[in-house]
Amino acid sequence: MKFEVIGPITNVEVIAAGPGIRVLSYLRKAYGRGRWRKLKGTATVRLPNGALRRVELHWYEAHGIGKRDLRIKYYVDEP
């Protein structure tokens, strides 16, 4: 699903780091070596139909590489 993050991502928490990440080999092959961490946080996003929704995002991040594979885990607000 395509979406655009509007504003800052808040309530950021680390879910897993290092060998605790199940797709670590994929991340290293696709984006390079780094201290990979899986994070979650809440943000407002604009969906393809133009609706603004508050969602929980999950993504992977490494220093010097940045955020990768952002995805919407679930919607926090009511439609």
Side-chain angles (χ1 to χ4, degrees):
M1 172 185 279
K2 301 287 184 189
F3 60 91
E4 178 185 358
V5 177
I6 308 295
I9 300 175
T10 58
N11 302 327
V12 176
E13 296 179 35
V14 175
I15 299 171
I21 299 174
R22 295 178 183 174
V23 295
L24 188 58
S25 61
Y26 159 74
L27 293 170
R28 288 184 172 160
K29 285 179 186 177
Y31 306 114
R33 294 186 61 84
R35 185 173 179 265
W36 286 101
R37 299 180 300 161
K38 184 174 183 179
L39 296 104
K40 72 176 182 176
T42 57
T44 303
V45 298
R46 178 176 290 126
L47 301 175
N49 65 2
L52 294 177
R53 298 287 305 268
R54 190 84 178 148
V55 299
E56 181 174 300
L57 295 172
H58 285 204
W59 71 94
Y60 299 99
E61 184 174 303
H63 181 75
I65 298 172
K67 292 180 180 70
R68 295 290 184 263
D69 298 346
L70 265 84
R71 71 183 186 99
I72 295 173
K73 187 65 175 182
Y74 62 86
Y75 297 100
V76 177
D77 63 353
E78 295 296 320

Coordinates of all heavy atoms in Angstrom, one line a residue:
M1 N 0.8 -1.2 0.0 CA 0.0 0.0 0.0 C 0.9 1.2 0.0 O 1.8 1.3 0.8 CB -0.9 0.0 1.2 CG -1.7 1.3 1.4 SD -2.6 1.3 2.9 CE -4.0 0.4 2.4
K2 N 0.6 2.2 -0.8 CA 1.3 3.4 -0.9 C 0.7 4.4 0.1 O -0.6 4.5 0.2 CB 1.2 4.0 -2.3 CG 1.8 3.1 -3.3 CD 3.3 3.1 -3.3 CE 3.8 2.2 -4.4 NZ 5.2 1.9 -4.3
F3 N 1.5 5.1 0.8 CA 1.0 6.2 1.7 C 2.1 7.2 1.9 O 3.3 6.9 1.7 CB 0.5 5.6 3.1 CG 1.6 4.8 3.8 CD1 2.4 5.5 4.7 CD2 1.8 3.5 3.6 CE1 3.4 4.8 5.4 CE2 2.8 2.8 4.3 CZ 3.6 3.5 5.2
E4 N 1.7 8.3 2.5 CA 2.7 9.4 2.7 C 2.6 9.8 4.2 O 1.5 10.0 4.7 CB 2.3 10.6 1.9 CG 3.2 11.8 2.1 CD 2.7 13.0 1.3 OE1 1.7 12.9 0.6 OE2 3.3 14.1 1.5
V5 N 3.7 9.8 4.9 CA 3.7 10.2 6.3 C 3.6 11.7 6.4 O 4.4 12.4 5.8 CB 5.0 9.7 7.0 CG1 5.0 10.1 8.4 CG2 5.1 8.2 6.9
I6 N 2.6 12.1 7.2 CA 2.4 13.6 7.4 C 2.8 13.9 8.8 O 2.2 13.4 9.8 CB 0.9 13.9 7.2 CG1 0.4 13.4 5.9 CG2 0.7 15.4 7.4 CD1 1.0 14.1 4.7
G7 N 3.8 14.8 9.0 CA 4.2 15.1 10.3 C 5.2 14.1 10.9 O 5.6 13.2 10.3
P8 N 5.5 14.3 12.2 CA 6.5 13.5 12.9 C 5.9 12.1 13.3 O 4.7 12.0 13.5 CB 6.9 14.3 14.1 CG 5.7 15.1 14.4 CD 5.1 15.4 13.1
I9 N 6.9 11.2 13.5 CA 6.5 9.9 14.0 C 6.8 10.0 15.5 O 7.9 10.3 15.9 CB 7.3 8.7 13.4 CG1 7.1 8.7 11.9 CG2 7.0 7.4 14.0 CD1 7.9 7.7 11.1
T10 N 5.7 9.7 16.3 CA 5.9 9.8 17.8 C 5.8 8.4 18.5 O 5.4 7.4 17.8 CB 4.7 10.7 18.3 OG1 3.5 10.2 18.0 CG2 4.8 12.1 17.8
N11 N 6.1 8.4 19.8 CA 6.0 7.2 20.6 C 6.9 6.1 20.0 O 6.4 4.9 19.9 CB 4.6 6.7 20.7 CG 3.7 7.8 21.4 OD1 4.2 8.6 22.2 ND2 2.4 7.8 21.0
V12 N 8.1 6.4 19.5 CA 8.9 5.4 18.9 C 9.5 4.5 19.9 O 10.0 4.9 21.0 CB 10.1 6.2 18.1 CG1 11.0 5.2 17.5 CG2 9.5 7.1 17.1
E13 N 9.4 3.2 19.6 CA 10.0 2.1 20.5 C 10.7 1.1 19.7 O 10.3 0.8 18.6 CB 8.8 1.4 21.2 CG 8.0 2.2 22.2 CD 6.9 1.4 22.8 OE1 7.2 0.2 23.1 OE2 5.8 1.9 23.0
V14 N 11.8 0.6 20.2 CA 12.6 -0.5 19.6 C 11.9 -1.8 19.9 O 11.6 -2.1 21.0 CB 14.0 -0.5 20.1 CG1 14.7 -1.7 19.5 CG2 14.7 0.8 19.7
I15 N 11.6 -2.6 18.9 CA 10.9 -3.9 19.0 C 12.0 -5.0 19.1 O 11.9 -5.9 19.9 CB 9.9 -4.2 17.9 CG1 8.8 -3.1 17.8 CG2 9.4 -5.5 18.0 CD1 8.0 -3.2 16.6
A16 N 13.0 -4.9 18.2 CA 14.0 -5.9 18.1 C 15.3 -5.3 17.6 O 15.3 -4.2 16.9 CB 13.6 -7.0 17.2
A17 N 16.4 -5.9 17.9 CA 17.7 -5.4 17.4 C 18.7 -6.5 17.2 O 18.5 -7.6 17.8 CB 18.3 -4.4 18.4
G18 N 19.6 -6.4 16.2 CA 20.6 -7.4 16.0 C 20.0 -8.7 15.5 O 19.1 -8.8 14.7
P19 N 20.4 -9.8 16.2 CA 20.0 -11.1 15.8 C 18.5 -11.4 16.1 O 17.9 -12.4 15.6 CB 20.9 -12.1 16.6 CG 21.4 -11.3 17.7 CD 21.4 -9.8 17.2
G20 N 17.9 -10.5 16.8 CA 16.4 -10.7 17.1 C 15.5 -10.3 15.9 O 14.3 -10.6 16.0
I21 N 16.1 -9.8 14.9 CA 15.4 -9.4 13.7 C 15.3 -10.6 12.8 O 16.4 -11.1 12.4 CB 16.0 -8.2 13.0 CG1 16.0 -7.0 13.9 CG2 15.3 -7.9 11.7 CD1 16.7 -5.8 13.3
R22 N 14.1 -11.1 12.4 CA 14.0 -12.3 11.6 C 14.5 -12.1 10.2 O 14.9 -13.1 9.6 CB 12.5 -12.7 11.6 CG 12.0 -13.1 13.0 CD 10.6 -13.5 12.9 NE 10.1 -13.8 14.2 CZ 8.8 -14.1 14.4 NH1 7.9 -14.1 13.5 NH2 8.4 -14.4 15.7
V23 N 14.4 -11.0 9.6 CA 14.8 -10.7 8.2 C 16.1 -10.0 8.1 O 16.4 -9.3 7.1 CB 13.7 -10.0 7.5 CG1 12.4 -10.8 7.4 CG2 13.4 -8.6 8.1
L24 N 17.0 -10.3 9.0 CA 18.3 -9.6 9.1 C 19.1 -9.9 7.8 O 19.7 -9.0 7.3 CB 19.1 -10.0 10.3 CG 20.4 -9.2 10.6 CD1 20.1 -7.7 10.7 CD2 21.0 -9.7 11.8
S25 N 19.1 -11.1 7.3 CA 19.9 -11.4 6.1 C 19.3 -10.7 4.9 O 20.1 -10.2 4.1 CB 19.9 -12.9 5.9 OG 18.6 -13.4 5.7
Y26 N 18.0 -10.5 4.8 CA 17.4 -9.8 3.7 C 17.8 -8.3 3.8 O 18.2 -7.7 2.8 CB 15.9 -9.9 3.8 CG 15.2 -8.7 3.1 CD1 15.2 -8.7 1.7 CD2 14.6 -7.7 3.8 CE1 14.6 -7.7 1.0 CE2 14.0 -6.7 3.1 CZ 14.0 -6.6 1.7 OH 13.4 -5.6 1.1
L27 N 17.8 -7.7 5.0 CA 18.2 -6.3 5.1 C 19.6 -6.1 4.7 O 19.9 -5.1 4.1 CB 18.0 -5.9 6.6 CG 16.5 -5.8 7.1 CD1 16.4 -5.6 8.6 CD2 15.7 -4.7 6.3
R28 N 20.5 -7.0 5.1 CA 21.9 -6.8 4.8 C 22.1 -7.0 3.3 O 22.9 -6.2 2.7 CB 22.8 -7.8 5.6 CG 22.9 -7.5 7.0 CD 23.8 -8.4 7.8 NE 24.0 -7.9 9.1 CZ 24.4 -8.6 10.1 NH1 24.6 -9.9 10.0 NH2 24.5 -8.1 11.3
K29 N 21.5 -7.9 2.6 CA 21.6 -8.1 1.2 C 21.0 -6.9 0.4 O 21.6 -6.4 -0.6 CB 20.9 -9.3 0.7 CG 21.6 -10.6 1.1 CD 20.9 -11.8 0.6 CE 21.5 -13.1 1.1 NZ 20.7 -14.3 0.7
A30 N 19.9 -6.4 0.9 CA 19.2 -5.3 0.1 C 19.8 -3.9 0.4 O 19.9 -3.1 -0.6 CB 17.7 -5.3 0.5
Y31 N 20.2 -3.6 1.6 CA 20.6 -2.3 2.0 C 22.0 -2.2 2.5 O 22.5 -1.0 2.7 CB 19.6 -1.7 3.0 CG 18.2 -1.8 2.6 CD1 17.3 -2.6 3.2 CD2 17.7 -1.1 1.5 CE1 15.9 -2.7 2.8 CE2 16.4 -1.1 1.0 CZ 15.5 -1.9 1.7 OH 14.2 -2.0 1.3
G32 N 22.6 -3.3 2.9 CA 24.0 -3.2 3.4 C 24.1 -3.5 4.9 O 23.1 -3.6 5.6
R33 N 25.3 -3.7 5.4 CA 25.5 -4.0 6.8 C 25.3 -2.8 7.6 O 25.5 -1.6 7.2 CB 27.0 -4.5 7.0 CG 27.2 -5.8 6.3 CD 28.6 -6.4 6.6 NE 28.7 -6.6 8.0 CZ 28.3 -7.8 8.6 NH1 27.7 -8.7 8.0 NH2 28.5 -7.9 9.9
G34 N 24.9 -3.0 8.8 CA 24.6 -1.9 9.7 C 24.0 -2.5 11.0 O 23.8 -3.7 11.2
R35 N 23.8 -1.6 12.0 CA 23.2 -2.0 13.3 C 21.7 -1.9 13.1 O 21.1 -0.8 13.4 CB 23.7 -1.1 14.4 CG 23.2 -1.5 15.7 CD 23.8 -0.7 16.8 NE 23.3 -1.1 18.1 CZ 22.3 -0.5 18.8 NH1 21.7 0.5 18.2 NH2 21.9 -0.9 19.9
W36 N 21.1 -2.9 12.5 CA 19.7 -2.9 12.2 C 18.8 -3.0 13.4 O 19.1 -3.8 14.3 CB 19.3 -4.0 11.2 CG 19.8 -3.7 9.9 CD1 21.0 -4.2 9.3 CD2 19.3 -2.8 8.9 NE1 21.1 -3.6 8.0 CE2 20.1 -2.8 7.8 CE3 18.1 -2.0 8.9 CZ2 19.8 -2.0 6.7 CZ3 17.9 -1.2 7.8 CH2 18.7 -1.2 6.7
R37 N 17.7 -2.2 13.5 CA 16.8 -2.3 14.5 C 15.4 -2.3 13.9 O 15.2 -1.6 12.9 CB 16.9 -1.1 15.5 CG 18.3 -1.1 16.2 CD 18.4 0.1 17.1 NE 18.2 1.4 16.3 CZ 17.9 2.5 16.9 NH1 17.8 2.6 18.2 NH2 17.8 3.6 16.2
K38 N 14.4 -3.0 14.5 CA 13.0 -2.9 14.1 C 12.3 -1.9 15.1 O 12.5 -2.1 16.3 CB 12.3 -4.2 14.1 CG 10.9 -4.2 13.6 CD 10.3 -5.5 13.5 CE 8.9 -5.4 12.9 NZ 8.2 -6.7 12.7
L39 N 11.6 -0.9 14.6 CA 11.0 0.1 15.4 C 9.5 0.2 15.1 O 9.1 -0.2 14.0 CB 11.7 1.4 15.2 CG 13.1 1.5 15.6 CD1 14.0 1.5 14.4 CD2 13.4 2.7 16.5
K40 N 8.8 0.8 16.1 CA 7.4 1.1 15.9 C 7.1 2.5 16.4 O 7.8 2.9 17.3 CB 6.5 0.0 16.5 CG 6.4 0.1 18.0 CD 5.4 -0.9 18.5 CE 5.3 -0.9 20.0 NZ 4.3 -1.8 20.5
G41 N 6.1 3.1 15.9 CA 5.7 4.4 16.3 C 4.4 4.8 15.7 O 3.9 4.1 14.8
T42 N 3.8 5.9 16.2 CA 2.5 6.3 15.6 C 2.7 7.6 14.8 O 3.5 8.4 15.1 CB 1.4 6.6 16.7 OG1 2.0 7.5 17.6 CG2 1.1 5.3 17.5
A43 N 1.9 7.7 13.8 CA 2.0 8.9 12.9 C 0.7 9.1 12.1 O -0.1 8.2 12.1 CB 3.1 8.7 11.9
T44 N 0.5 10.3 11.6 CA -0.6 10.5 10.7 C -0.1 10.3 9.3 O 0.9 10.8 8.9 CB -1.1 12.0 10.8 OG1 -1.4 12.2 12.2 CG2 -2.3 12.3 10.0
V45 N -0.9 9.6 8.5 CA -0.5 9.3 7.1 C -1.7 9.7 6.2 O -2.9 9.7 6.6 CB -0.2 7.8 6.9 CG1 1.0 7.4 7.7 CG2 -1.4 6.9 7.1
R46 N -1.3 10.0 4.9 CA -2.3 10.2 3.9 C -2.4 9.0 3.0 O -1.4 8.6 2.4 CB -1.9 11.5 3.0 CG -2.9 11.7 1.9 CD -2.6 13.0 1.1 NE -2.9 14.1 2.0 CZ -2.0 15.1 2.2 NH1 -0.8 15.1 1.7 NH2 -2.3 16.1 3.0
L47 N -3.5 8.4 2.9 CA -3.7 7.2 2.1 C -4.0 7.6 0.6 O -4.2 8.7 0.3 CB -4.9 6.4 2.7 CG -4.8 6.0 4.1 CD1 -6.1 5.4 4.6 CD2 -3.6 5.0 4.3
P48 N -3.9 6.6 -0.3 CA -4.1 6.9 -1.7 C -5.4 7.6 -2.0 O -5.5 8.3 -3.0 CB -4.0 5.5 -2.4 CG -3.2 4.7 -1.4 CD -3.5 5.2 -0.1
N49 N -6.5 7.3 -1.2 CA -7.8 7.9 -1.5 C -7.9 9.3 -0.9 O -8.9 10.0 -1.0 CB -8.9 7.1 -1.0 CG -8.9 6.9 0.5 OD1 -8.1 7.5 1.2 ND2 -9.8 6.1 1.1
G50 N -6.8 9.8 -0.3 CA -6.7 11.2 0.2 C -7.1 11.3 1.7 O -7.0 12.4 2.3
A51 N -7.5 10.2 2.3 CA -7.9 10.2 3.7 C -6.7 10.4 4.6 O -5.7 9.8 4.4 CB -8.7 9.0 4.1
L52 N -6.9 11.1 5.7 CA -5.8 11.2 6.7 C -6.2 10.3 7.9 O -7.3 10.4 8.4 CB -5.7 12.6 7.2 CG -5.2 13.7 6.3 CD1 -5.2 15.1 6.9 CD2 -3.8 13.3 5.7
R53 N -5.3 9.4 8.3 CA -5.6 8.4 9.3 C -4.4 8.4 10.3 O -3.2 8.6 9.9 CB -5.7 7.0 8.7 CG -6.9 6.8 7.8 CD -8.3 6.8 8.5 NE -8.4 5.9 9.5 CZ -8.9 4.7 9.4 NH1 -9.3 4.2 8.2 NH2 -9.0 3.8 10.4
R54 N -4.7 8.1 11.5 CA -3.6 7.9 12.6 C -3.4 6.4 12.6 O -4.3 5.6 12.7 CB -4.2 8.4 13.9 CG -3.2 8.5 15.0 CD -2.4 9.7 14.9 NE -1.4 9.8 16.0 CZ -0.3 10.4 15.9 NH1 0.0 11.0 14.9 NH2 0.5 10.4 16.9
V55 N -2.1 6.0 12.4 CA -1.7 4.6 12.3 C -0.5 4.3 13.2 O 0.2 5.2 13.6 CB -1.4 4.2 10.8 CG1 -2.6 4.5 10.0 CG2 -0.2 5.0 10.3
E56 N -0.3 3.0 13.4 CA 0.9 2.5 14.0 C 1.8 2.0 12.8 O 1.3 1.2 12.1 CB 0.7 1.4 15.0 CG 2.0 0.9 15.6 CD 1.8 -0.1 16.7 OE1 1.2 0.3 17.7 OE2 2.3 -1.2 16.6
L57 N 3.0 2.5 12.7 CA 3.9 2.1 11.7 C 5.0 1.2 12.3 O 5.4 1.4 13.4 CB 4.6 3.4 11.1 CG 3.8 4.4 10.4 CD1 4.6 5.6 10.0 CD2 3.2 3.8 9.1
H58 N 5.4 0.3 11.5 CA 6.6 -0.6 11.8 C 7.6 -0.4 10.7 O 7.2 -0.3 9.5 CB 6.2 -2.0 11.9 CG 5.5 -2.4 13.1 ND1 5.5 -3.6 13.7 CD2 4.7 -1.6 14.0 CE1 4.7 -3.7 14.8 NE2 4.3 -2.4 15.0
W59 N 8.9 -0.3 11.0 CA 9.9 -0.1 10.0 C 11.3 -0.6 10.5 O 11.4 -0.9 11.7 CB 10.0 1.3 9.6 CG 10.6 2.3 10.6 CD1 11.9 2.6 10.7 CD2 9.9 2.9 11.6 NE1 12.1 3.5 11.8 CE2 10.9 3.7 12.3 CE3 8.6 3.0 12.1 CZ2 10.5 4.5 13.4 CZ3 8.3 3.7 13.1 CH2 9.2 4.5 13.8
Y60 N 12.2 -0.7 9.6 CA 13.6 -1.1 10.0 C 14.5 0.1 9.8 O 14.3 0.9 8.9 CB 14.1 -2.3 9.1 CG 13.3 -3.5 9.3 CD1 12.3 -3.8 8.3 CD2 13.5 -4.4 10.3 CE1 11.5 -5.0 8.5 CE2 12.7 -5.5 10.5 CZ 11.7 -5.8 9.6 OH 11.0 -6.9 9.7
E61 N 15.5 0.2 10.6 CA 16.4 1.4 10.6 C 17.8 1.0 11.0 O 18.0 0.2 11.9 CB 15.8 2.5 11.5 CG 16.6 3.8 11.5 CD 15.8 4.8 12.3 OE1 14.6 5.1 12.1 OE2 16.5 5.3 13.3
A62 N 18.8 1.6 10.3 CA 20.2 1.4 10.7 C 20.9 2.8 10.5 O 20.5 3.6 9.6 CB 20.9 0.4 9.8
H63 N 21.8 3.1 11.4 CA 22.6 4.3 11.3 C 23.3 4.4 10.0 O 24.0 3.5 9.5 CB 23.6 4.4 12.5 CG 24.4 5.6 12.5 ND1 23.8 6.8 12.9 CD2 25.6 5.9 12.1 CE1 24.7 7.8 12.8 NE2 25.8 7.2 12.3
G64 N 23.2 5.6 9.4 CA 23.8 5.8 8.1 C 23.0 5.3 6.9 O 23.4 5.6 5.7
I65 N 22.0 4.5 7.1 CA 21.2 3.9 6.0 C 19.8 4.6 6.1 O 19.2 4.9 5.1 CB 21.1 2.4 6.1 CG1 22.5 1.8 6.0 CG2 20.2 1.8 5.1 CD1 22.6 0.4 6.2
G66 N 19.2 4.7 7.3 CA 17.9 5.4 7.4 C 16.8 4.4 7.5 O 16.9 3.2 7.7
K67 N 15.5 4.9 7.5 CA 14.3 4.1 7.6 C 14.1 3.3 6.3 O 14.2 3.9 5.2 CB 13.1 5.0 7.8 CG 13.1 5.7 9.2 CD 11.8 6.6 9.3 CE 11.8 7.3 10.6 NZ 12.8 8.3 10.8
R68 N 13.7 2.1 6.4 CA 13.4 1.2 5.3 C 12.2 0.4 5.6 O 11.9 0.0 6.7 CB 14.6 0.3 5.0 CG 15.9 1.0 4.5 CD 15.7 1.6 3.2 NE 16.9 2.2 2.7 CZ 17.2 3.5 2.7 NH1 16.3 4.3 3.3 NH2 18.3 4.0 2.2
D69 N 11.5 0.0 4.6 CA 10.3 -0.9 4.6 C 9.3 -0.4 5.6 O 8.8 -1.2 6.4 CB 10.8 -2.3 4.9 CG 11.7 -2.9 3.9 OD1 11.8 -2.3 2.8 OD2 12.4 -3.9 4.2
L70 N 8.9 0.8 5.6 CA 7.8 1.3 6.4 C 6.5 0.6 6.0 O 6.2 0.4 4.8 CB 7.6 2.8 6.2 CG 8.3 3.7 7.2 CD1 9.7 4.0 6.8 CD2 7.5 5.0 7.3
R71 N 5.7 0.2 7.0 CA 4.4 -0.4 6.7 C 3.4 -0.1 7.8 O 3.8 0.2 9.0 CB 4.5 -1.9 6.5 CG 4.8 -2.7 7.8 CD 4.9 -4.2 7.4 NE 5.0 -5.0 8.6 CZ 4.0 -5.6 9.2 NH1 2.8 -5.6 8.6 NH2 4.2 -6.3 10.2
I72 N 2.2 0.0 7.4 CA 1.1 0.2 8.4 C 0.8 -1.1 9.1 O 0.4 -2.0 8.4 CB -0.1 0.8 7.7 CG1 0.2 2.2 7.1 CG2 -1.3 0.9 8.7 CD1 -0.9 2.8 6.3
K73 N 0.9 -1.1 10.4 CA 0.6 -2.3 11.2 C -0.9 -2.3 11.4 O -1.6 -3.3 11.2 CB 1.4 -2.3 12.5 CG 1.2 -3.6 13.3 CD 1.8 -4.8 12.5 CE 1.7 -6.0 13.4 NZ 2.3 -7.1 12.8
Y74 N -1.5 -1.2 12.0 CA -2.9 -1.1 12.2 C -3.3 0.4 12.3 O -2.5 1.2 12.6 CB -3.4 -2.0 13.3 CG -2.9 -1.6 14.7 CD1 -3.5 -0.6 15.4 CD2 -1.8 -2.3 15.2 CE1 -3.0 -0.3 16.7 CE2 -1.3 -2.0 16.5 CZ -1.9 -1.0 17.2 OH -1.4 -0.7 18.4
Y75 N -4.6 0.6 12.2 CA -5.1 2.0 12.3 C -5.5 2.2 13.8 O -6.1 1.4 14.4 CB -6.4 2.1 11.4 CG -6.1 2.0 10.0 CD1 -6.3 0.8 9.3 CD2 -5.5 3.0 9.2 CE1 -6.0 0.7 8.0 CE2 -5.2 2.9 7.9 CZ -5.5 1.7 7.3 OH -5.2 1.6 5.9
V76 N -5.0 3.4 14.3 CA -5.3 3.7 15.7 C -6.6 4.4 15.9 O -7.3 4.2 16.8 CB -4.1 4.6 16.2 CG1 -4.4 5.0 17.7 CG2 -2.8 3.9 16.1
D77 N -7.0 5.2 14.9 CA -8.2 6.0 15.0 C -9.4 5.2 14.4 O -9.2 4.2 13.7 CB -8.1 7.4 14.4 CG -7.8 7.3 12.9 OD1 -7.6 6.2 12.4 OD2 -7.8 8.3 12.2
E78 N -10.6 5.7 14.6 CA -11.8 5.2 13.9 C -12.0 5.8 12.6 O -11.7 7.0 12.5 CB -13.0 5.3 14.8 CG -12.9 4.6 16.1 CD -12.9 3.1 15.9 OE1 -13.6 2.6 15.0 OE2 -12.1 2.4 16.7
P79 N -12.4 5.1 11.5 CA -12.6 5.8 10.2 C -13.7 6.8 10.2 O -14.6 6.8 11.0 CB -12.9 4.6 9.3 CG -13.4 3.5 10.2 CD -12.8 3.8 11.5

